Amino acid sequence: MVTYILQRLGLALVTIWAISVVSFVIIQLPPGDFVDTYITNLAASGSAVRAEEAQALREQYGLDKPIWVQYWKWISRVATGDFGMSMEWGRPVIEVIGDRLWLTIVISFAAILITWGIALPIGIYSAVRQYSVADYIFTFVGFVGLAVPNFLLALIIMYFGFKLFDLNIGGLFSAEYQIAPWSAGKVWDMMKHLPLPAMILALAGTAQLIRIMRANLLDELRRPYVTTARARGLPEWRVILKYPVRAALNPFASTIGYLLPFVVSGSIVVSLVLSLPTVGPLLLRSLVAQDMFLAGTIVLLLGILTVIGTFLSDLILMWIDPRIRSGMHG
Amino acid sequence: MADPILSVRGLETFFHGDEGIVRAVDGASFDLFPGRTLGIVGESGCGKSVTARSILRIVERPGRVENGSVLLRRADGSTVDLVKLDASSREMREVRGGEIGYVFQEPMSSLSAYHTIGNQLMEAIRLHRTVTKAEARDRAIELLRMVGIPRPEQRVDSYSFELSGGLRQRVMIALSLAAEPRILIADEPTTALDVTTQAQILELIRRIQEERNLAVVLITHDMGVIAEMADAVAVMYLGKVVETGPVDAIFHAPKHPYTQSLLRSIPSVLAQPLSRLATITGSIPHPFARPAGCPFHPRCPSFMPGTCDTGAPGLTRLAPDHEARCFLYDQPRETSA
Ligand SMILES: Nc1ncnc2c1ncn2[C@@H]1O[C@H](COP(=O)(O)OP(=O)(O)OP(=O)(O)O)[C@@H](O)[C@H]1O
Ligand code: SF4
Ligand SMILES: [Mg+2]
């Protein structure tokens, strides 16, 4: 068991290293070194950079040294929490990202929970009542849900929310809390704003998840252990919830880790439409503006969070799947 | 002889698929007596498992019990027709496990991999008996000991995949007997096991049967197992019971041409050691293309043209407890064609 966890931990570290290399490459992508980009950017906004300052920056990042020295200098700074300057914003990257990373996590998790809350019961129902009218309706609605782009849905809901209820759905905070420091009031304000955007984001994955759950369960319902559970005299709903549903849910534990980047990349446009303070729109903008320290940092942080998520889902899987646990004893 | 504990009459179970109707069980009749073993034998796909599941009313959709009766005589002497009960009713659920235990042909996948053996045993015990968790656990360990599982106190907490096939089938037997049913249906309980384990499992069933005066329905396509275990035999072909009789009569004086062919296809029980191993000519017809008349006629060595392919033979009583479904013994009925 300990060797298994250590093994997973080792794998996680190697993956984080690989992600850091990718992030570094992203930062290096634009032609010339990034100090050139920095100078061009500043020049474009009217302020010039003094030659000494440029030289100091170059030395700080070892830009005249071999590439692996540059990587080492960069990663050492990152390890101390210094992610460099955002060229577009003229402020440290970490300040620009600010709360957005945590808000992204909060809203993604809310969206995932809603997705599961809707999709799993419907998937179970559709499988148990395969080819029933309700199954066909859910399948049809699911296809429509897959076909309608989410941002369109977001726009429609915003429009009707505004028209009918005079609601402003955009954003995660009311005006007075927008730039206020964190407080109980601000958290409560966020909780009030959270459900709708989370719901809209959730609908993206729902149709797909219904189909996966339905297929998983249909597979399990055919297994002999279901027949033998029935033959023991269990009521039908207990047979289904205790045995095949349990088995059909198992694979989901292993997907928890991958959900974060999936939700973030899938939600960029919706986040723009709903003006949500998440990292998605920021990443898009930094890439357009070639603000490479910002882009590289976002990729790095999302990557690390994903690796942590994957590691956690490995632990969860180990905890809930007796076959994996037992494989580790012997 | 005593009254039968289970009496199946004219049972018909059909599957309504998109391509047509499969008559999986098409008129099965047999009796089961306390303390006795009825062997049901027939080639793969002849409807043995569907018959067993029809008795328990757990045929999965699109299958349905269409006709016939399954009379169960309860401990208090009253009888109930299981076909008339609602499949999901409380009464029917009490019969499952409580009156009739069922051992399935696949020990590998008949237990949940996500629950311990003890969990499933205790569930079965508490479903039919009001006992505390601790008592149920003690009973579960007792059951495991009864079916010959070594170190039952530890095994009760293990998972099915941690056991060998033979041990799993023992657990299945313990599970099916958890609520002390008076009937055990064992559907090819040894098909998936090696020869030595097969013999041990059959021995176990026989021992428990003696201890509890169990009535056993043993489903198999192995005539050797029938010879060893059964008191009476029902031979099935394409959903129909074509011959029933005491095991001696079936082996030494088989009446139905299909039974005769089945016996000829196994060398071990044949009296003449030098005879050539015969196989049954032809293959089993496709489920959607059941032959008209006697379903066995395309493969039957005694086929009588004009008779066997026009009308269906009925069951003819040849001795008080010996019946066959064949025109060799039945008078052809008038057919409208
Ligand atoms: N779920 C189902 N849907 C449609 N047809 C089915 C279904 N289950 C069984 N059948 C049909 O019922 C017939 C009898 O099947 P059954 O499983 O009872 O055979 P069996 O005698 O137990 O065979 P085996 O020795 O292989 O276990 C088969 O022809 C099969 O096509
Ligand atoms: S009825 Fe005719 S075809 Fe059928 S088993 Fe008897 S002799 Fe053979
Ligand atoms: Mg079978």
Side-chain angles (χ1 to χ4, degrees):
Chain A
M1 191 124 117
V2 176
T3 43
Y4 175 83
I5 296 176
L6 285 180
Q7 200 185 328
R8 291 280 131 178
L9 206 56
L11 197 64
L13 290 177
V14 171
T15 317
I16 288 180
W17 172 76
I19 291 169
S20 75
V21 170
V22 170
S23 309
F24 182 66
V25 168
I26 290 176
I27 292 171
Q28 301 287 330
L29 268 185
D33 64 40
F34 63 82
V35 175
D36 290 334
T37 325
Y38 185 51
I39 293 169
T40 330
N41 263 327
L42 282 186
S45 61
S47 49
V49 180
R50 280 174 300 127
E52 307 88 89
E53 201 184 322
Q55 190 52 39
L57 269 174
R58 287 209 163 87
E59 254 164 43
Q60 198 176 12
Y61 286 99
L63 292 187
D64 46 355
K65 303 265 170 54
I67 190 89
W68 56 270
V69 176
Q70 293 182 32
Y71 171 76
W72 178 248
K73 289 211 167 210
W74 171 76
I75 198 75
S76 313
R77 302 182 74 88
V78 164
T80 63
D82 175 3
F83 293 95
M85 294 287 281
S86 161
M87 290 150 202
E88 202 197 351
W89 302 70
R91 285 194 288 145
V93 162
I94 200 77
E95 269 179 38
V96 176
I97 295 178
D99 289 332
R100 279 174 179 259
L101 192 64
W102 305 115
L103 291 174
T104 305
I105 294 174
V106 167
I107 202 165
S108 301
F109 264 95
I112 291 166
L113 284 184
I114 294 174
T115 307
W116 286 7
I118 298 173
L120 297 184
I122 293 180
I124 292 172
Y125 185 88
S126 290
V128 173
R129 295 263 176 274
Q130 194 190 9
Y131 303 136
S132 68
V133 177
D135 180 27
Y136 283 120
I137 291 175
F138 284 135
T139 306
F140 176 73
V141 173
F143 272 123
V144 173
L146 275 181
V148 175
N150 267 18
F151 69 89
L152 198 64
L153 195 68
L155 281 175
I156 293 170
I157 293 180
M158 266 173 92
Y159 174 79
F160 280 108
F162 192 71
K163 266 273 188 217
L164 300 179
F165 307 107
D166 199 20
L167 270 175
N168 191 0
I169 292 169
L172 265 190
F173 301 101
S174 313
E176 68 264 34
Y177 285 113
Q178 202 75 268
I179 47 168
W182 281 102
S183 63
K186 184 166 176 170
V187 172
W188 175 238
D189 185 56
M190 181 185 80
M191 299 299 275
K192 279 192 297 190
H193 281 78
L194 195 57
L196 250 174
M199 183 88 99
I200 293 169
L201 287 181
L203 289 178
T206 302
Q208 204 189 359
L209 195 66
I210 290 177
R211 292 161 62 77
I212 297 175
M213 184 64 195
R214 182 176 178 274
N216 279 4
L217 187 54
L218 280 176
D219 238 30
E220 294 295 332
L221 283 172
R222 277 191 272 275
R223 310 264 158 138
Y225 68 82
V226 182
T227 310
T228 51
R230 273 192 200 115
R232 268 174 260 151
L234 286 175
E236 185 66 12
W237 59 268
R238 230 170 104 185
V239 170
I240 286 170
L241 289 184
K242 180 169 175 184
Y243 296 107
V245 166
R246 171 70 185 73
L249 281 179
N250 210 55
F252 286 103
S254 56
T255 63
I256 295 172
Y258 314 116
L259 286 175
L260 187 67
F262 184 74
V263 174
V264 170
S265 60
S267 66
I268 290 180
V269 182
V270 175
S271 297
L272 279 175
V273 169
L274 292 174
S275 55
L276 299 178
T278 59
V279 291
L282 200 61
L283 176 62
L284 185 66
R285 194 163 150 188
S286 63
L287 285 172
V288 172
Q290 293 203 359
D291 189 351
M292 296 331 276
F293 269 117
L294 186 52
T297 304
I298 294 176
V299 168
L300 180 67
L301 292 179
L302 281 181
I304 290 174
L305 283 174
T306 307
V307 171
I308 294 173
T310 310
F311 179 65
L312 289 182
S313 47
D314 278 341
L315 291 188
I316 294 176
L317 200 63
M318 188 180 85
W319 177 50
I320 66 168
D321 192 332
R323 274 169 304 190
I324 297 182
R325 243 182 295 143
S326 139
M328 287 175 315
H329 296 313
Chain B
M1 192 177 267
D3 290 333
I5 185 169
L6 189 76
S7 192
V8 176
R9 285 288 168 269
L11 186 67
E12 294 180 5
T13 303
F14 302 162
F15 286 89
H16 303 264
D18 293 334
E19 302 114 286
I21 296 180
V22 176
R23 298 168 160 259
V25 181
D26 192 12
S29 306
F30 49 82
D31 290 319
L32 179 67
F33 295 91
R36 297 304 183 98
T37 300
L38 171 74
I40 300 184
V41 67
E43 284 163 293
S44 187
C46 71
K48 304 182 297 290
S49 298
V50 176
T51 302
R53 269 178 264 175
S54 302
I55 293 171
L56 287 167
R57 303 294 309 281
I58 51 170
V59 181
E60 63 272 15
R61 270 175 301 177
R64 240 182 65 194
V65 178
E66 306 274 339
N67 263 312
S69 61
V70 176
L71 295 174
L72 172 73
R73 194 163 49 80
R74 292 212 182 89
D76 61 11
S78 65
T79 51
V80 56
D81 185 354
L82 301 184
V83 172
K84 293 221 167 60
L85 293 182
D86 177 1
S88 57
S89 66
R90 187 182 183 84
E91 209 178 349
M92 192 61 231
R93 277 192 275 117
E94 275 163 6
V95 170
R96 291 184 203 126
E99 297 273 4
I100 307 176
Y102 183 49
V103 176
F104 206 44
Q105 75 194 81
E106 287 166 76
M108 296 304 156
S109 46
S110 291
L111 291 157
S112 165
Y114 297 98
H115 303 87
T116 60
I117 290 161
N119 176 308
Q120 292 168 76
L121 275 168
M122 286 160 67
E123 176 189 59
I125 293 165
R126 301 190 73 196
L127 196 64
H128 297 277
R129 303 271 179 277
T130 29
V131 291
T132 65
K133 263 205 166 121
E135 285 166 347
R137 190 181 159 87
D138 289 346
R139 260 200 63 66
I141 293 171
E142 222 25 69
L143 278 164
L144 291 177
R145 197 189 316 278
M146 177 193 76
V147 296
I149 303 242
R151 290 181 291 115
E153 298 85 359
Q154 281 134 56
R155 289 292 192 207
V156 76
D157 292 319
S158 51
Y159 291 89
S160 61
F161 53 82
E162 295 169 327
L163 304 180
S164 67
L167 284 189
R168 275 186 234 191
Q169 198 58 297
R170 284 173 193 266
V171 171
M172 276 308 296
I173 292 172
L175 202 47
S176 66
L177 296 175
E180 297 172 39
R182 294 174 306 135
I183 298 173
L184 177 68
I185 300 180
D187 188 350
E188 310 204 26
T190 59
T191 310
L193 306 174
D194 64 76
V195 184
T196 328
T197 321
Q198 262 187 30
Q200 290 168 351
I201 294 289
L202 292 178
E203 182 49 43
L204 172 69
I205 293 177
R206 199 163 22 208
R207 199 194 80 216
I208 295 171
Q209 172 173 38
E210 269 167 33
E211 284 169 11
R212 305 190 164 205
N213 199 31
L214 263 185
V216 175
V217 176
L218 184 68
I219 296 175
T220 177
H221 45 231
D222 185 343
M223 276 306 222
V225 171
I226 293 283
E228 205 174 310
M229 298 283 294
D231 300 300
V233 184
V235 181
M236 283 188 78
Y237 186 75
L238 288 183
K240 291 188 196 304
V241 170
V242 294
E243 183 167 3
T244 56
V247 68
D248 281 349
I250 293 291
F251 275 89
H252 298 298
K255 296 297 183 206
H256 197 281
Y258 177 63
T259 315
Q260 293 165 354
S261 319
L262 262 188
L263 285 167
R264 238 176 285 126
S265 67
I266 38 165
S268 56
V269 292
L270 210 67
Q272 309 111 301
L274 284 179
S275 70
R276 203 162 44 88
L277 175 63
T279 48
I280 306 176
T281 51
S283 55
I284 308 170
H286 189 272
F288 295 121
R290 296 273 159 100
C294 169
F296 189 55
H297 83 251
R299 303 167 75 188
C300 181
S302 321
F303 171 54
M304 298 172 283
T307 306
C308 300
D309 49 0
T310 50
L315 270 180
T316 310
R317 179 152 305 198
L318 308 165
D321 50 4
H322 195 168
E323 292 181 332
R325 190 189 287 276
C326 171
F327 282 128
L328 293 174
Y329 316 101
D330 189 20
Q331 292 306 309
R333 284 159 235 177
E334 297 302 316
T335 45
S336 50

